[in-house]
Amino acid sequence: MANKLKESETIEQRMTALLAQMTLAEKIGQMCQLNASEGYAPDYLADDLRAGRVGSVLNVVDVDVVNELQRIAVEESRLGIPLLVGRDVIHGFKTIMPIPLGQAATWNPALVKEGAHLAALEAAGAGINWTFAPMVDISRDARWGRIAESPGECVFLARMLAIAAVEGFQGDDLSATGAIAACAKHFAGYGAVESGRDYATTNLPETKLRNVWLRPFKAAVDAGVMTMMTSFSDLNGVPATGNSFLLRQVLRDEWNFGGFVVSDWDSVRQLQIHGLTENDRESAFEAATAGVDMEMAGDAYRHHLIGLVEEGRIGIDTIDTAVANILRAKFRLGLFENSFTDPAELPPPGNARALATAQKLALQSVVLLKNDHGTLPLSTQRLSSIAVIGPLADARYEQLGTWIFDGDEELAITPLHAINSLVGDDVDVRYVRAMENSRSKATEAFDAAVEIAKDSDLAILFLGEESILSGEAHSRADINLPGDQADLVRRIRETGKPVIAVILAGRPLTLTNIVDQVDAILFAWHPGAMGGPAIADLLFGIESPSGKLPATFPRMVGQIPIYYSQKNTGKPPSRDNVVHIDDIDTYAPQTSLGMSSFHLDTCFTPLFAFGHGLSYTCFDYQRIRTSADEIELGDTVTISADVMNRGEVTAEEVVQLYCRDLVASITRPVKELKGFRRVRIEPNQTLTVDFELHTDDLAFYGRDMQRTVEPGEFHAWIGGSSEAELRTDFRIIDSG
Ligand code: NOJ
């Protein structure tokens, strides 16, 4: 600790000394990040680099080019300040792992951390020293294309994953070879865009903002994240890139963030398009005064900051603080000592460890949504032929998902390939793609698919969305399986053969129209390069599925937003007080209506709840208990339950703890995740799982925007999903 402090004092001293030598133009240069992907970067950037007009570049991944850019910056500019080299390393660099939402479904922060670490090592080999990840935007709207990049709907899970990713990318020592700076994005509220339409407006009351959307960012800051990126979206009338409440009051004054803030791509100039400013100059003014330290890919800072300082509208202190924040990151990364990259010092891309982690993440991310009559797992001994059907059975690129700029498609192994390798000559595998892509409406090839299904023992359908249907600017208003996939399912169902659906997608889908047409569903997200082997192992029971949903699956799109931690309302729905549209009494329509919070034309529950995920065994939860019925404010309580594996196979289960604060000065959710543990249990083994809860873990932002714990009664549940019913109660008291 003493050493660390000494080291950071040195950094502050070096930074102050450097700042004192800088001209205004050089300072503003540090605040500019340029896109290096246009043309041959060393040529067109060289003059700017020599003049100290660039602090960072993004989107250059050729290590020789990066080294040359660094050389010009370090050797040919007056002060020799090295560059930050940024890239979207979102779920792997060359070795693509499952999309972040899929990684969230593992509920395994240690594995997510390992994945981020391995991605950092691969990216660092290309000279990258800064990733624009993790995205920690909570999303409760599956229409939003960027839910694929998000940790899902839950504050607690998102916080744990934010910490894991930051630690994975940055390591213990940011200056170590292979560590890269992380960036928590998009600050803040982006996941709440209206109707899930990307870049749209967000409106979040401050208590909701603080209790939900800001908390994963706070976790990232506490974990030492070096940078934050602003959101494209408008928050409560002030676009995030010009929002001083977020960037100064919350981030700096309340959280003491010591890193730097980068805008999103050209989002400074977009302040004008939002209608906040009249021109680029005013946009530069708003963003810089609000606390955006570096502008990404735009030129508002480049062209206007000097004038704004000279006019006296922006004080030199504002500039100095921003530059100090950026230089601090460069010193922490050790860039002044090691400006160049030698790829030989880093593991080669696509190495065995990276592939094994990609496979493990994929394996643990797949969620078994349903499994009637034990259809799964399959047994090679009991099968002689299977029909593999669908547009995503053998589509290497599509299984990688969104944001895979640098991903190596050659590393990807498809489910079809993996099934063939796994079954060898024991089982005859027939394959018909049936649809050119997931959106296809052509049905001509369906007959061929029906034929192979008829001739086989069973059919496995690989359905879902190809990668282009999720990600940035790829929102959907209808989240059913696209194209004619539901029709394909119906046709295969008619053969009378068992039907297994394996769904690859970038978001939760509404599966109501196919759920009863299939015997089993494995939801595999976009599982990355090693998705094929992971899926094959699960289909054939080499491992039991253990993924759990990080986001609620609605029955129909009109239920959105639907999430487990909703408020109770004054008229909560229950089985006794809801009416279906088909059951309204024609002669007394008013009196037959249930008077509670529900939709007439669907059930008030989701199709699959947050935390849901089946296994090939059955876990029995019993004997929930607390270490005390009453806890003093500031103390801890242990909540435990026994989990027994009643089935015949060893399997992993994610044991989940939920709590409810029954009465509070602002209403609290009906359930909030407060802990989870992934455990491996043998058949007939019973494991006691303990969760230690401090009263601070039950705190929330109240009416005065202070985080507080209010004494009173709490419920606690332990189980395998947010629908857990095994409950105990305790009280928090304040006798002091
Ligand atoms: C825009 C995206 O919103 C952001 O997430 C990404 O990091 C930047 N572009 C850079 O590519």
Side-chain angles (χ1 to χ4, degrees):
M1 188 64 200
N3 270 347
K4 267 203 170 157
L5 202 62
K6 202 164 152 237
E7 184 189 284
S8 67
E9 273 169 9
T10 315
I11 284 180
E12 292 303 305
Q13 285 161 2
R14 289 173 72 190
M15 195 188 67
T16 312
L18 180 56
L19 201 58
Q21 297 175 54
M22 294 172 80
T23 63
L24 178 58
E26 283 165 339
K27 289 177 181 172
I28 288 166
Q30 288 302 306
M31 298 170 71
C32 298
Q33 182 185 55
L34 300 192
N35 175 13
S37 69
E38 289 164 10
Y40 186 58
D43 290 345
Y44 85 91
L45 289 179
D47 288 346
D48 282 328
L49 291 171
R50 285 189 195 106
R53 284 195 290 260
V54 190
S56 171
V57 293
L58 80 165
N59 293 350
V60 54
V61 286
D62 177 331
V63 67
D64 295 332
V65 176
V66 174
N67 278 336
E68 175 60 5
L69 295 175
Q70 292 286 24
R71 194 197 59 75
I72 300 171
V74 169
E75 293 175 6
E76 297 183 17
S77 74
R78 193 177 74 90
L79 295 172
I81 303 175
L83 293 165
L84 285 161
V85 181
R87 185 65 162 171
D88 289 284
V89 182
I90 308 295
H91 52 114
F93 184 63
K94 295 282 179 202
T95 309
I96 296 297
M97 323 240 169
I99 54 169
L101 189 62
Q103 295 196 31
T106 67
W107 296 52
N108 190 340
L111 194 58
V112 169
K113 177 174 167 180
E114 170 79 352
H117 172 59
L118 295 168
L121 292 177
E122 286 190 353
I128 290 156
N129 51 39
W130 178 20
T131 175
F132 306 123
M135 194 246 245
V136 300
D137 298 312
I138 284 182
S139 175
R140 296 172 169 182
D141 193 333
R143 293 170 297 185
W144 191 43
R146 300 197 81 169
I147 196 172
E149 297 171 60
S150 117
E153 73 180 43
C154 171
V155 175
F156 188 86
L157 184 58
R159 286 173 53 227
M160 296 304 122
L161 295 168
I163 296 166
V166 170
E167 290 179 353
F169 287 125
Q170 298 194 164
D172 295 336
D173 173 7
L174 205 47
S175 68
T177 306
I180 63 177
C183 179
K185 68 186 189 185
H186 305 82
F187 198 57
Y190 193 25
V193 284
E194 283 175 349
S195 80
R197 191 165 37 88
D198 205 9
Y199 313 130
T201 298
T202 67
N203 287 295
L204 291 165
E206 194 174 332
T207 46
K208 198 166 181 183
L209 184 69
R210 287 183 181 274
N211 282 318
V212 180
W213 268 268
L214 293 186
R215 299 213 55 222
F217 288 95
K218 175 68 161 58
V221 168
D222 290 346
V225 73
M226 207 57 247
T227 74
M228 305 269 281
M229 187 189 295
T230 61
S231 169
F232 280 129
S233 46
D234 175 328
L235 176 68
N236 301 335
V238 183
T241 304
N243 195 314
S244 60
F245 162 73
L246 285 174
L247 304 176
R248 293 223 181 269
Q249 182 181 324
V250 174
L251 188 58
R252 300 287 180 185
D253 300 348
E254 295 180 22
W255 297 356
N256 288 317
F257 176 59
F260 74 89
V261 175
V262 65
S263 76
D264 202 341
W265 187 283
D266 210 16
S267 68
V268 174
R269 293 189 329 130
Q270 287 166 18
L271 292 177
Q272 182 193 353
I273 307 173
H274 275 285
L276 188 78
T277 62
E278 278 186 7
N279 51 41
D280 288 356
R281 192 180 188 81
E282 293 309 308
S283 297
F285 173 78
E286 290 294 337
T289 50
V292 175
D293 301 312
M294 182 184 281
E295 180 185 16
M296 179 192 286
D299 54 16
Y301 277 16
R302 195 172 154 85
H303 292 153
H304 302 292
L305 278 188
I306 292 192
L308 286 163
V309 175
E310 285 170 354
E311 275 169 27
R313 289 186 64 204
I314 294 185
I316 193 68
D317 288 0
T318 303
I319 302 294
D320 282 352
T321 307
V323 178
N325 292 337
I326 295 163
L327 292 178
R328 188 177 296 120
K330 294 188 176 187
F331 280 112
R332 291 270 317 276
L333 279 160
L335 292 182
F336 289 86
E337 293 73 30
N338 296 306
S339 313
F340 303 106
T341 302
D342 176 3
E345 288 178 0
L346 289 149
N351 58 77
R353 183 173 160 203
L355 289 170
T357 300
Q359 182 164 344
K360 197 164 175 192
L361 276 164
L363 188 94
Q364 296 192 3
S365 74
V366 176
V367 182
L368 179 63
L369 292 179
K370 75 172 265 185
N371 190 19
D372 286 353
H373 322 298
T375 305
L376 289 175
L378 307 176
S379 149
T380 46
Q381 277 105 53
R382 274 184 270 137
L383 289 172
S384 60
S385 57
I386 54 179
V388 172
I389 296 166
L392 295 167
D394 195 27
R396 278 211 289 214
Y397 177 80
E398 307 306 342
Q399 75 187 46
L400 300 182
T402 186
W403 282 118
I404 50 142
F405 286 154
D406 307 295
D408 184 351
E409 194 186 325
E410 298 297 311
L411 294 173
I413 302 175
T414 67
L416 177 67
H417 186 91
I419 290 170
N420 269 314
S421 322
L422 192 146
V423 302
D425 296 333
D426 296 346
V427 181
D428 190 7
V429 179
R430 293 100 187 237
Y431 166 59
V432 169
R433 187 183 175 108
M435 298 170 73
E436 192 186 341
N437 58 44
S438 71
R439 295 163 288 135
S440 168
K441 293 201 171 125
T443 56
E444 295 81 39
F446 285 13
D447 288 346
V450 168
E451 281 315 304
I452 61 161
K454 270 190 194 154
D455 286 349
S456 304
D457 296 335
L458 54 86
I460 311 177
L461 268 56
F462 286 88
L463 307 170
E465 296 177 317
E466 69 247 40
S467 70
I468 192 77
L469 295 186
S470 57
E472 186 177 344
H474 296 161
S475 296
R476 296 181 60 202
D478 169 357
I479 54 167
N480 280 335
L481 285 170
D484 262 339
Q485 295 183 74
D487 203 30
L488 176 64
V489 174
R490 189 183 51 75
R491 292 283 310 277
I492 304 300
R493 181 63 171 180
E494 282 167 7
T495 64
K497 295 294 166 80
V499 183
I500 295 150
V502 180
I503 299 179
L504 284 72
R507 55 161 64 75
L509 297 172
T510 40
L511 300 172
T512 306
N513 58 349
I514 64 137
V515 72
D516 296 328
Q517 308 273 316
V518 298
D519 299 286
I521 304 178
L522 279 174
F523 204 89
W525 318 99
H526 285 136
M530 298 303 282
I535 290 169
D537 282 359
L538 292 170
L539 285 169
F540 288 90
I542 312 292
E543 275 290 334
S544 176
S546 58
K548 298 279 187 175
L549 294 180
T552 303
F553 275 42
R555 291 173 193 273
M556 52 169 81
V557 77
Q559 287 182 300
I560 293 174
I562 181 167
Y563 49 96
Y564 82 94
S565 59
Q566 290 193 338
K567 300 287 185 74
N568 205 32
T569 81
K571 290 171 180 269
S574 72
R575 304 241 172 248
D576 312 326
N577 65 11
V578 297
V579 173
H580 191 265
I581 197 162
D582 297 336
D583 302 327
I584 298 173
D585 185 337
T586 320
Y587 302 102
Q590 283 309 329
T591 51
S592 68
L593 284 185
M595 298 295 280
S596 67
S597 180
F598 73 106
H599 296 107
L600 276 174
D601 43 8
T602 188
C603 187
F604 64 91
T605 58
L607 187 60
F608 297 110
F610 174 84
H612 170 76
L614 304 172
S615 159
Y616 294 152
T617 188
C618 161
F619 294 106
D620 200 3
Y621 285 80
Q622 285 171 346
R623 284 200 342 115
I624 188 167
R625 57 221 182 252
T626 57
S627 56
D629 296 337
E630 280 191 352
I631 353 162
E632 191 68 52
L633 214 54
D635 279 354
T636 51
V637 63
T638 305
I639 303 172
S640 321
D642 298 342
V643 190
M644 181 182 183
N645 180 347
R646 283 209 181 278
E648 284 161 16
V649 292
T650 301
E652 295 199 358
E653 166 75 332
V654 178
V655 181
Q656 303 160 38
L657 168 73
Y658 294 87
C659 289
R660 177 174 181 188
D661 184 347
L662 288 191
V663 181
S665 57
I666 66 159
T667 55
R668 307 296 302 130
V670 290
K671 264 181 189 168
E672 285 182 297
L673 185 71
K674 292 293 173 189
F676 60 87
R677 185 95 55 77
R678 181 177 263 276
V679 292
R680 194 168 183 87
I681 313 184
E682 311 276 324
N684 290 318
Q685 187 195 355
T686 300
L687 211 72
T688 298
V689 180
D690 299 323
F691 293 98
E692 211 168 81
L693 207 60
H694 190 276
T695 54
D696 284 353
D697 298 330
L698 299 160
F700 60 90
Y701 287 91
R703 294 185 200 185
D704 57 0
M705 302 306 151
Q706 299 302 312
R707 224 169 118 68
T708 170
V709 192
E710 293 180 1
E713 192 160 340
F714 291 78
H715 287 343
W717 297 260
I718 292 181
S721 85
S722 60
E723 288 177 328
E725 288 179 353
L726 188 68
R727 195 187 98 196
T728 184
D729 304 342
F730 62 92
R731 276 189 90 71
I732 294 184
I733 53 168
D734 181 10
S735 45

